[in-house]
Amino acid sequence: MRVQVDVAIIGGGPAGLAAAIACHDQGIQDILILERDRHLGGILQQCIHTGFGLHRFGEELTGPEYAHIFIDGVKDRNISYLLDTMVIEIRKDKIIYALNSEKGLIEIEAKAIILAMGCRERTRGAIQIPGDRPAGVYTAGMAQLLVNMEGYLPGKEIVILGSGDIGLIMARRLTWEGANVKMVCEIMPYSSGLARNIRQCLDDYDIPLLFNHTVVKVHGSKRLEGVTIAEVDSNRVPIPGSERYIECDTLLLSVGLLPENELSEGANVLLDEITGGPIVDEYRHTSVDGIFACGNVLHVHDLVDYVSEEAEIAARGVARYLKGDKSDSRISISHGAGIQYTVPHIISSRDEDVELFFRANGIYNDGMIQLTYGKDILYTKRYNHIVPGKMERIRIKKDILRQLDMEGNIRISWRQREDELSDEAHMYSLSTGM
Amino acid sequence: MYDILIIGAGVIGASVARELSRYDLNIAVLEAREDVATATTAANSAIVHAGYDCIPGSLMARFNVEGNGLFDEIKSELDIPFKRTGSLVLAFDDEDKRMLEKLFIQGEKNGVEGLEIISRDEVMDREPNINPNIKSALWAPTAGITCPYELTVAYMENAIDNGVKLFLEHTVTGLSKDRDGSFTVITSKGKFRALYIINCAGVQGDMISNMLGLEEFSIIPRRGEYLLYDRKYGNTVNSVIFQPPSRRGKGVLVTQTVDGNLLVGPNAEDITSREDISTTNSGLDYVYNMAKRSIPDLTRKGVIRTFAGLRAISDTGDFIIGPSTEIEGLFHVAGICSPGLSAAPAIGKELARIIGEHVGSLREKTDFNPYRCAIPRFKDLSLGEQQRLIDKDPRYGRVICRCETVTEGEIIEALHRSLPVNTIDGVKRRTRAGMGRCQGGFCTPRIMDIMARELHVSMEDITKCGADSNIVVGKIREKREREMKTI
Ligand SMILES: Cc1cc2nc3c(=O)[nH]c(=O)nc-3n(C[C@H](O)[C@H](O)[C@H](O)COP(=O)(O)OP(=O)(O)OC[C@H]3O[C@@H](n4cnc5c(N)ncnc54)[C@H](O)[C@@H]3O)c2cc1C
Ligand SMILES: Cc1cc2nc3c(=O)[nH]c(=O)nc-3n(C[C@H](O)[C@H](O)[C@H](O)COP(=O)(O)OP(=O)(O)OC[C@H]3O[C@@H](n4cnc5c(N)ncnc54)[C@H](O)[C@@H]3O)c2cc1C
């Protein structure tokens, strides 16, 4: 089968759905969503806890509730979608190959493509935990699917490695189901999960969270029998003598999410080493003409609200692209101290304000984020606190952008308050009694 | 009463079973585990060695070179993956260069064809990612790569198609020789009787002979650990890259697998346990650091799995193939360490010859079928072939494993073949579902659904690798309550 569309959207999760709706509302007629699962909604369908939509809708919805607002939006607009349909190849000339059991091979020719494939979980192999290879070692997301979608309990005595949000949510979920969650080990001195999840999922159930701890060995030939955990030093190397054996039948891994970009790479889309997602401009246009990206395939978001927002940005980009608007510049953004990554990576037009999203590469207190252009300071914003677990954003005004060279470079960095204003900082610490 | 009982269904037991299934014999294979190819055959380098590093005159040398020569035939008869990639042994200094010369001469003696010592520049032409500081290399064009578990499954399916019986989860616990000259074999699931016993029990080989009160040889397990990389890194090398061998083995190699991943390993560590296939930090670090000598740009990013296997090293220093020196009717195929996989096709044929010699003469079956078809591998088909397959069976249009593009049709086929599977690992070894970068995180629950439906079992009964390795331990409250209501 062969079809032609204006926009093909790969993935029917929150990113793909919001992008489809926004594309439609921009006047694009011919949209097709391709989703490999049996339902729309993406990962949200298995997130039956509340905590979605606080920013966007001002109320706490469950994952499926949040998804359904968008699924309804897609259906109301009669946007086409194919379920149980796996995209197996995207070519850089925007030909897509997909597969389902009803239509067989489907060839789709698109004027523009939005990548919205989400992410997958980092596995045991990726972090190379040595030891035996029994049943009972699962990623937290797979355990979540088993419990919430299939109705089965993966185990009874549980250790969780990594304090990512899925792990935290699963600690509570499994406790509710009568399992004994013994501990969460986190190799870093801080959690990448949301503070509210640590409170509501661990603290409320007295589940210990051990910072600077990791699993160094897996034991059990058939089903997991236990794990050896150890404390790590500041270089994340296990400290000899600190090993402890913990009996358990299940080890859940919540050790990070990886944007799923094998398809994108097949289309020659350039990726950012740090995010694992495509390099994009402010409209989420990738390095390949006419291919856009949004949601977790671009970078891992902590809140779905921001995924939806980003999808709408990409949809605006697609509308501009289809109208033939060309970019007029290529302002790059580089990272100074304290910055892990930014999205977008480049700014290619100066018609609108640009929202710059970024994550810190560690925990920093009492300082500021600064945008500089050569020696000029473009922008300063004070922060009491920034952490890697929380995506931050700042808005760069179009008036500022218009003053810059077309090929200029903006540098974003964290500055400790003392760096610049040591006197003031001194006064500050006196006044707070520190 | 069986004519022949084969103990062990690794690649050796399976090859022997298949070669003997040509003849009019009543044969059974007893295997302790829930599937074939779960022990040493599941965890090795998967290289079909050329045969230059075996000592001339040894059984290893003979069967390696003979076995290597048989792989093209096996590939066409049994539809298994096999690729003659050639191999290189790198010389890093002058001493290594002398070693290459030794290997070259040894290889010629062993009958290895096409050996050549090539210059640094030639090596760099073929293998641009190799350490540019090497001096020269030994090129062996006959070396290749295969898939050891696929080969074993193929052998066993073909053996079963030709009348061999396979008894899985039958651990041999006792053996005795009866007055009439036949054997009684006690297993975890009952007694068997047979005229001849062939011991293909891998690292347990000496235990089998111990059961008859014999101490003919002993086996030392020598563990080797590996790093397996994402398919993205497969093209790092084009052929198998060795370092000069030492007394303890062939050293750390870097190779592509037949499925396009990059495989790096093994180390060599003598251990006491015959079951301990755990990986260790120190072992993996060693493997990685050694491999970096060959491929300086190698990083640990991209590793999707680590694993280890046990070589069965015999105290004779060579393969042990042939009749027991003590007991009539017992045959050993023991101490089959590396290059055992390469030798497997030749060892199977040799056993058929030896048994024939013993029995007098074996009558060939008129209806022996040497052919076996693999499960279609959807991913490797052309677009036209894919469409035709889906037209025939729409379940080939439903992708279950996203990383390796494995379809529902392939999984269902694996569940219902002449050698059926009922474990997640079994499905994985046959179809590659779960072998990719997400390591089954996405497809395991989907495969469980399919298995429950097709095999009429409950989700709780589905195991990773046989008894006591269940994936889930029960239902959640809500599901239990819902089910109560519907009753
Ligand atoms: C366990 C968990 C808990 C979370 N908790 C919260 C929370 O409490 N609050 C909150 O606001 N946010 C939360 N989030 C974050 C939020 O849900 C995600 O950021 C959001 O779902 C990402 O949306 P997405 O559309 O980019 O990706 P996904 O939801 O992953 O959707 C991607 C879709 O693409 C499809 N797809 C991928 N590849 C292909 C292909 N080749 N062919 C066809 N289809 C394909 C997938 O099947 C999937 O449906 C949570 C996330 C997880 C995983
Ligand atoms: C690290 C490593 C790397 C290697 N690399 C290569 C290579 O690149 N090329 C190559 O040619 N060779 C290689 N080899 C060697 C090759 O893997 C082996 O020679 C081959 O797999 C041996 O097969 P097998 O059938 O003898 O043993 P196994 O596969 O171990 O099979 C023995 C079977 O016997 C069963 N069994 C044992 N005891 C009993 C019992 N009491 N009752 C019933 N069943 C029993 C076991 O369950 C098992 O299934 C390597 C080996 C290792 C460990």
Side-chain angles (χ1 to χ4, degrees):
Chain A
M1 191 177 111
R2 222 192 128 98
V3 288
Q4 287 179 335
V5 296
D6 290 337
V7 186
I9 299 174
I10 324 284
L17 295 171
I21 291 170
C23 279
H24 179 94
D25 295 350
Q26 306 266 339
I28 302 170
Q29 291 301 321
D30 207 358
I31 304 165
L32 176 62
I33 305 172
L34 299 158
E35 169 56 51
R36 67 179 171 205
D37 225 318
R38 286 181 207 176
H39 44 68
L40 295 171
I43 201 78
L44 290 182
Q45 295 288 13
Q46 68 182 63
C47 302
I48 60 171
H49 57 282
T50 59
F52 299 84
L54 207 53
H55 290 257
R56 197 179 172 100
F57 300 113
E59 56 176 328
E60 286 207 45
L61 305 170
T62 66
E65 284 168 352
Y66 187 97
H68 269 280
I69 295 175
F70 290 86
I71 295 174
D72 291 344
V74 163
K75 292 187 174 161
D76 290 346
R77 288 168 180 78
N78 283 322
I79 296 170
S80 317
Y81 57 87
L82 288 172
L83 298 180
D84 235 331
T85 303
M86 178 75 89
V87 173
I88 51 175
E89 191 186 346
I90 304 174
R91 289 192 351 203
K92 64 172 186 293
D93 56 2
K94 288 170 291 187
I95 307 270
I96 298 166
Y97 292 96
L99 196 61
N100 72 23
S101 40
E102 222 174 283
K103 303 197 164 67
L105 274 168
I106 310 164
E107 193 181 318
I108 300 143
E109 206 185 307
K111 292 190 187 127
I113 294 175
I114 302 180
L115 307 172
M117 291 92 78
C119 56
R120 66 163 176 273
E121 295 176 279
R122 205 186 288 274
T123 64
R124 172 179 175 192
I127 56 173
Q128 293 164 44
I129 310 170
D132 298 319
R133 295 169 295 285
V137 182
Y138 308 126
T139 59
M142 174 175 142
Q144 186 178 46
L145 189 145
L146 282 171
V147 176
N148 293 347
M149 308 295 278
E150 306 266 349
Y152 292 94
L153 204 57
K156 291 187 171 141
E157 296 286 314
I158 296 168
V159 170
I160 298 177
L161 177 62
S163 59
D165 285 312
I166 320 178
L168 301 177
I169 300 274
M170 283 312 288
R172 178 176 64 186
R173 183 74 181 94
L174 290 166
T175 305
W176 285 348
E177 286 300 335
N180 175 22
V181 179
K182 294 192 150 177
M183 61 180 66
V184 176
C185 294
E186 169 58 62
I187 196 168
M188 302 301 282
Y190 54 83
S191 168
S192 61
L194 295 172
R196 70 158 194 240
N197 281 339
I198 293 177
R199 237 177 13 250
Q200 295 169 5
C201 300
L202 300 187
D203 298 353
D204 289 357
Y205 300 89
D206 292 326
I207 298 167
L209 171 55
L210 277 61
F211 287 118
N212 301 309
H213 273 76
T214 191
V215 171
V216 293
K217 190 147 192 178
V218 167
H219 306 266
S221 60
K222 292 286 194 166
R223 175 83 197 197
L224 184 66
E225 288 159 20
V227 295
T228 304
I229 65 166
E231 195 172 341
V232 299
D233 64 20
S234 54
N235 296 319
R236 288 186 267 166
V237 177
I239 300 170
S242 71
E243 297 88 356
R244 264 200 294 155
Y245 179 78
I246 311 287
E247 227 173 86
C248 58
D249 64 10
T250 306
L251 173 65
L252 293 191
L253 304 175
S254 182
V255 290
L257 299 169
L258 303 166
E260 191 153 338
N261 277 294
E262 282 70 30
L263 285 174
S264 327
E265 282 184 290
N268 280 354
V269 169
L270 292 181
L271 302 186
D272 174 343
E273 285 268 330
I274 306 289
T275 59
I279 292 173
V280 292
D281 73 5
E282 73 276 28
Y283 291 112
R284 308 305 185 260
H285 201 167
T286 70
S287 61
V288 177
D289 184 61
I291 300 186
F292 294 74
C294 58
N296 280 355
V297 80
L298 182 52
H299 59 132
V300 175
H301 295 67
D302 17 87
L303 292 177
V304 70
D305 310 57
Y306 301 146
V307 170
S308 310
E309 180 185 347
E310 182 168 81
E312 285 156 0
I313 298 173
R316 270 197 290 130
V318 169
R320 276 172 57 99
Y321 173 80
L322 292 178
K323 262 191 267 148
D325 284 2
K326 287 274 173 289
S327 59
D328 67 349
S329 51
R330 212 189 145 72
I331 299 168
S332 58
I333 293 158
S334 62
H335 311 161
I339 305 299
Q340 189 184 346
Y341 73 78
T342 64
V343 168
H345 306 75
I346 53 173
I347 297 172
S348 66
S349 83
R350 293 171 293 177
D351 316 342
E352 293 183 50
D353 294 357
V354 168
E355 205 73 61
L356 187 66
F357 295 84
F358 67 92
R359 273 185 206 277
N361 62 10
I363 296 183
Y364 301 99
N365 294 310
D366 191 24
M368 66 199 81
I369 286 290
Q370 239 171 27
L371 296 185
T372 50
Y373 185 77
K375 287 198 170 56
D376 301 337
I377 296 174
L378 297 181
Y379 180 90
T380 305
K381 182 173 175 186
R382 294 213 180 284
Y383 285 86
N384 291 331
H385 192 60
I386 54 172
V387 295
K390 183 160 179 284
M391 192 161 71
E392 302 287 352
R393 63 162 87 195
I394 47 185
R395 177 177 279 260
I396 314 178
K397 293 259 181 264
K398 59 176 182 256
D399 308 336
I400 293 181
L401 291 172
R402 288 197 180 128
Q403 293 162 23
L404 310 181
D405 276 353
M406 271 162 40
E407 308 251 304
N409 174 271
I410 299 177
R411 193 171 180 80
I412 172 169
S413 28
W414 170 261
R415 304 204 52 187
Q416 217 57 47
R417 201 169 159 111
E418 306 89 70
D419 289 356
E420 192 200 25
L421 309 162
S422 48
D423 292 349
E424 216 180 296
H426 181 64
M427 282 172 61
Y428 176 78
S429 55
L430 280 180
S431 67
T432 53
M434 283 165 71
Chain B
M1 172 84 77
Y2 287 96
D3 295 322
I4 297 176
L5 276 177
I6 297 168
I7 304 174
V11 68
I12 298 301
S15 161
V16 169
R18 191 263 185 166
E19 291 308 324
L20 283 169
S21 72
R22 293 173 187 275
Y23 306 98
D24 206 356
L25 293 166
N26 192 7
I27 305 168
V29 180
L30 301 174
E31 167 54 51
R33 294 283 305 272
E34 72 292 348
D35 193 6
V36 304
T38 59
T40 302
T41 301
N44 54 67
S45 311
I47 310 299
V48 177
H49 293 289
Y52 48 75
D53 46 7
C54 311
I55 297 166
S58 64
L59 294 176
M60 285 184 182
R62 177 184 152 198
F63 290 110
N64 183 348
V65 177
E66 273 181 37
N68 179 303
L70 288 169
F71 263 86
D72 300 290
E73 176 189 314
I74 293 294
K75 175 183 173 162
S76 66
E77 286 183 351
L78 300 180
D79 201 6
I80 54 139
F82 169 62
K83 222 160 105 186
R84 279 199 201 277
T85 53
S87 71
L88 288 165
V89 186
L90 308 179
F92 294 90
D93 54 30
D94 290 343
E95 199 191 320
D96 289 348
K97 280 173 78 173
R98 282 193 292 280
M99 173 59 102
L100 297 195
E101 256 142 56
K102 200 186 132 208
L103 290 176
F104 180 86
I105 295 167
Q106 199 166 275
E108 301 253 277
K109 279 195 194 147
N110 292 346
V112 180
E113 281 170 22
L115 288 176
E116 218 183 317
I117 291 181
I118 62 174
S119 70
R120 188 205 92 107
D121 291 354
E122 267 179 275
V123 178
M124 298 309 294
D125 264 359
R126 285 176 209 219
E127 300 286 356
N129 295 319
I130 275 189
N131 187 344
N133 297 325
I134 60 151
K135 305 277 184 213
S136 60
L138 176 68
W139 167 244
T142 56
I145 54 178
T146 185
C147 176
Y149 33 90
E150 176 75 15
L151 174 61
T152 307
V153 167
Y155 267 138
M156 198 53 89
E157 283 182 351
N158 188 237
I160 291 171
D161 291 345
N162 286 299
V164 171
K165 301 222 159 36
L166 170 66
F167 295 90
L168 296 171
E169 295 181 305
H170 279 64
T171 308
V172 174
T173 54
L175 267 175
S176 59
K177 176 111 184 172
D178 302 336
R179 275 232 242 63
D180 66 356
S182 66
F183 292 87
T184 298
V185 180
I186 301 167
T187 77
S188 52
K189 289 197 179 156
K191 275 189 199 165
F192 289 75
R193 297 195 59 216
L195 296 175
Y196 299 101
I197 303 283
I198 306 178
N199 168 16
C200 304
V203 280
Q204 310 282 353
D206 52 347
M207 303 303 221
I208 299 295
S209 103
N210 293 166
M211 286 175 195
L212 283 157
L214 307 176
E215 299 211 356
E216 294 169 281
F217 53 87
S218 64
I219 301 288
I220 303 137
R222 184 174 291 169
R223 185 169 58 192
E225 301 178 42
Y226 292 90
L227 298 164
L228 183 83
Y229 286 73
D230 191 293
R231 256 190 288 121
K232 245 186 249 176
Y233 300 85
N235 289 331
T236 308
V237 295
N238 300 309
S239 44
V240 185
I241 309 299
F242 292 100
Q243 295 173 6
S246 72
R247 213 166 41 78
R248 301 190 48 77
K250 300 182 179 71
V252 171
L253 61 86
V254 179
T255 182
Q256 208 178 100
T257 68
V258 283
D259 301 296
N261 298 81
L262 188 74
L263 180 65
V264 170
N267 61 344
E269 183 192 356
D270 289 344
I271 59 170
T272 47
S273 159
R274 293 170 194 247
E275 267 124 45
D276 185 0
I277 49 163
S278 62
T279 55
T280 64
N281 246 329
S282 55
L284 297 173
D285 284 350
Y286 172 84
V287 163
Y288 171 68
N289 289 325
M290 287 304 279
K292 249 180 117 62
R293 277 181 78 206
S294 300
I295 311 288
D297 289 340
L298 194 72
T299 69
R300 280 175 89 153
K301 210 178 126 191
V303 171
I304 60 174
R305 188 170 178 83
T306 64
F307 63 87
L310 298 182
R311 306 171 183 84
I313 308 287
S314 84
D315 57 357
T316 66
D318 199 357
F319 291 163
I320 298 167
I321 298 174
S324 154
T325 49
E326 312 271 328
I327 290 192
E328 165 65 25
L330 171 66
F331 298 85
H332 297 300
V333 193
I336 310 297
C337 54
S338 187
L341 171 65
S342 323
I347 291 177
K349 288 196 190 298
E350 172 70 359
L351 256 290
R353 193 192 62 77
I354 295 175
I355 299 280
E357 225 173 59
H358 248 77
V359 178
S361 82
L362 293 177
R363 213 177 57 235
E364 278 195 48
K365 285 181 194 154
T366 50
D367 58 350
F368 174 74
N369 173 13
Y371 299 105
R372 167 264 183 191
C373 278
I375 299 172
R377 187 135 300 162
F378 185 86
K379 188 176 81 164
D380 297 339
L381 300 178
S382 70
L383 293 180
E385 290 168 324
Q386 291 183 338
Q387 185 61 54
R388 272 195 295 284
L389 199 55
I390 300 169
D391 289 343
K392 220 171 70 196
D393 183 347
R395 294 175 301 189
Y396 282 94
R398 195 157 166 252
V399 177
I400 299 297
C401 166
R402 62 174 174 198
C403 305
E404 298 290 317
T405 322
V406 181
T407 63
E408 184 170 16
E410 291 161 83
I411 292 166
I412 291 173
E413 164 80 12
L415 296 175
H416 300 303
R417 285 171 75 91
S418 53
L419 167 50
V421 282
N422 59 5
T423 63
I424 294 285
D425 279 359
V427 168
K428 171 172 146 181
R429 279 192 295 269
R430 283 172 184 68
T431 65
R432 287 192 61 73
M435 286 265 186
R437 47 182 71 99
C438 94
Q439 289 286 300
F442 176 77
C443 63
T444 303
R446 298 168 154 226
I447 294 169
M448 290 169 73
D449 280 337
I450 297 172
M451 287 171 69
R453 186 187 74 214
E454 294 286 321
L455 305 177
H456 311 290
V457 294
S458 75
M459 294 281 274
E460 290 104 313
D461 292 333
I462 295 170
T463 65
K464 177 176 185 286
C465 51
D468 303 324
S469 67
N470 305 57
I471 307 282
V472 296
V473 299
K475 297 190 175 85
I476 65 166
R477 201 182 313 126
E478 201 188 308
K479 192 177 177 83
R480 284 198 311 267
E481 285 165 7
R482 213 182 317 129
E483 286 177 358
M484 289 294 285
K485 279 199 202 105
T486 57
I487 288 172

